[in-house]
Amino acid sequence: MVRTIIKTLLKLILYPFRIIIKLLISFFKRLKFSIAFKISTTYVLLYIVIIMIAALTTTVGYFLLEIRKFENTVITNDVEYIVKNFPEVRNIKVRDSDYNSVEIYDENLNTYFSTGRHGKYVSSILLVIEKILFDNEYIYSGAFSYRNSDYYLNISYPVGEILKDAWRISFVVLISGALGLLFIIPIVVSTSYKLIGPIKNMTEITKTITVNNINTRLDIKDAQDELKELSQTFNEMMDRIEGGYKIQQQFVSDASHELRTPIAVIKGYVNMLDRWGKNDKAVLEESIEAIKNETDNMQDLIEKLLFIARSDRSTLNFTKEDFRIMSILNEIEKETKMIDKEHKLYFDFYHDAIIYGDKMQIKQAIRIIIDNAMKFTPPGGHIMVSGFIEDDYYVIKVKDTGIGIKKEDLDKIFDRLYRAEESRSKAIGGHGLGLSIAKIILLGHKGKIRVRSKFGKGSEFSLLFPYLQSQF
Ligand code: ADP
């Protein structure tokens, strides 16, 4: 009951303070102080705290030292005198000493003798401190024996002078601390601003970066430690962004270039038709055939570009289902045999497996690899397609005895619109997008592509798809 009343009373008393603290916190939160200001304030506050601690310790230290000196001289003499003259101490007041009062208590702590000031025996340090602070009085406490009985002694001394000196010392320390603050503040402020300078510089430079000056980098020289690391990381990030941006730009320019050729061809034929084709049947037929080819070519290119763009924008959707890989492998075998009469074709599907994936896309990826084998293998060459299980993957391997790929081209053939020198000079069709698309499809199925090739001898492409269930 009493407790709850006290609690509510305390709450009521503290309520205004809590409101003030809350208001102050929200006020400071709203204020957007700069980091330099915050660092400076923290250091200045730290300095003030240190000065206050220094003032306190020197004051207390001085006081304790003086009291110890006093105890060793005056107090020891007084105690000796009292003990020596005990119990005849009634004339004690006559003695020339500095004390305020003397109290002697018997074994039961009842007053035995008193010059008339204290009521109770004082021995606790807290009481002693209280007396020092509020009454400017130091109370010595001690005990002695007389005829087998214990007696307790309290002597109180005025310590106003010592205290005054102690406060003076504290005042001097505080004043010198305050003077020091005048020197400290400009140093702390300038150091903090110097420390933060690189960040400001970074912000200014970062603000100016656009696609037009994407090669701008932060100056690492005057940054230090973590800021240097931050600038370095930022610069590395910009390198990556710039790299990606350049690839994208190159891709756009290459794609436009690829589209320019069929359009130029179509335009040429249209002009020819315009001039002579209306009456010349041979020109008419040739032009229609060429325009048809070129539009097919363009359509193929645009569809491939759209596929890649969808993948870049992450809007490419795979319609995945469980299906037997053999079902599409058989279809591919039939189709290839139908369209390719120029090469010796071998199909060996050793195992079957259930795969979770987009049937159409997986078929497209395999087609891309087989089409390339057909394109880059001279007539009469061999193309071997096999299917089997290897560890956690179903592998579709396409091996040809074609023109092969140079070592330096091997890591570039998956780049968009990249075609090796040989395939371009031999005027073999293609836009250099097939393998990029195959790679996108494989990655979308958590699969892998492996290539091995010997220039002039042939190539071997393996598509690896993770499978759900094997069927031997
Ligand atoms: P393309 O439409 O030109 O075939 P791809 O992306 O499919 O585009 O292939 C990129 C390049 O990789 C080809 O231009 C060719 O230089 C090389 N390449 C791909 N497959 C083979 C292969 N089986 N034999 C030799 N070179 C190949």
Side-chain angles (χ1 to χ4, degrees), residues 304 368-369 372-373 375-377 400 402-405 413-415 418-421 423-424 429-436 453 458-459 461:
K304 281 179 174 159
I368 288 170
I369 304 298
N372 276 349
K375 263 194 321 201
F376 299 112
T377 306
D400 64 52
I403 61 170
I405 304 162
I413 54 170
F414 291 95
D415 292 349
Y418 185 82
R419 292 158 76 196
E421 178 88 35
S423 43
R424 266 181 282 139
H431 303 289
L433 288 174
L435 288 180
S436 314
S453 187
S459 314
F461 282 79

Side-chain angles (χ1 to χ4, degrees), residues 28 52 65 75 79 87 113 148 177 201 224 290 319 333 339 356 366 452 471-472:
F28 278 109
M52 282 167 86
L65 214 75
I75 300 181
V79 172
F113 166 78
N148 291 335
N201 188 23
Q224 322 150 345
T319 326
E333 180 178 350
I339 52 172
Y356 176 67
I366 304 170
R452 279 165 58 186
Q471 289 185 345
F472 286 92

Side-chain angles (χ1 to χ4, degrees), residues 19 31 33 76 135 154 188 197 202 205 232 239 249 269 290 306 328 337 352 355 400 403 432-433 449 472:
I19 296 268
L31 276 184
F33 290 128
T76 317
D135 298 339
N154 267 167
V188 164
M202 277 158 73
I205 295 178
Q232 238 157 6
D239 286 347
Q249 267 187 331
Y269 277 103
L306 280 176
I328 54 172
K337 278 179 177 164
D352 192 4
I355 285 183
D400 64 52
I403 61 170
L433 288 174
I449 299 191
F472 286 92

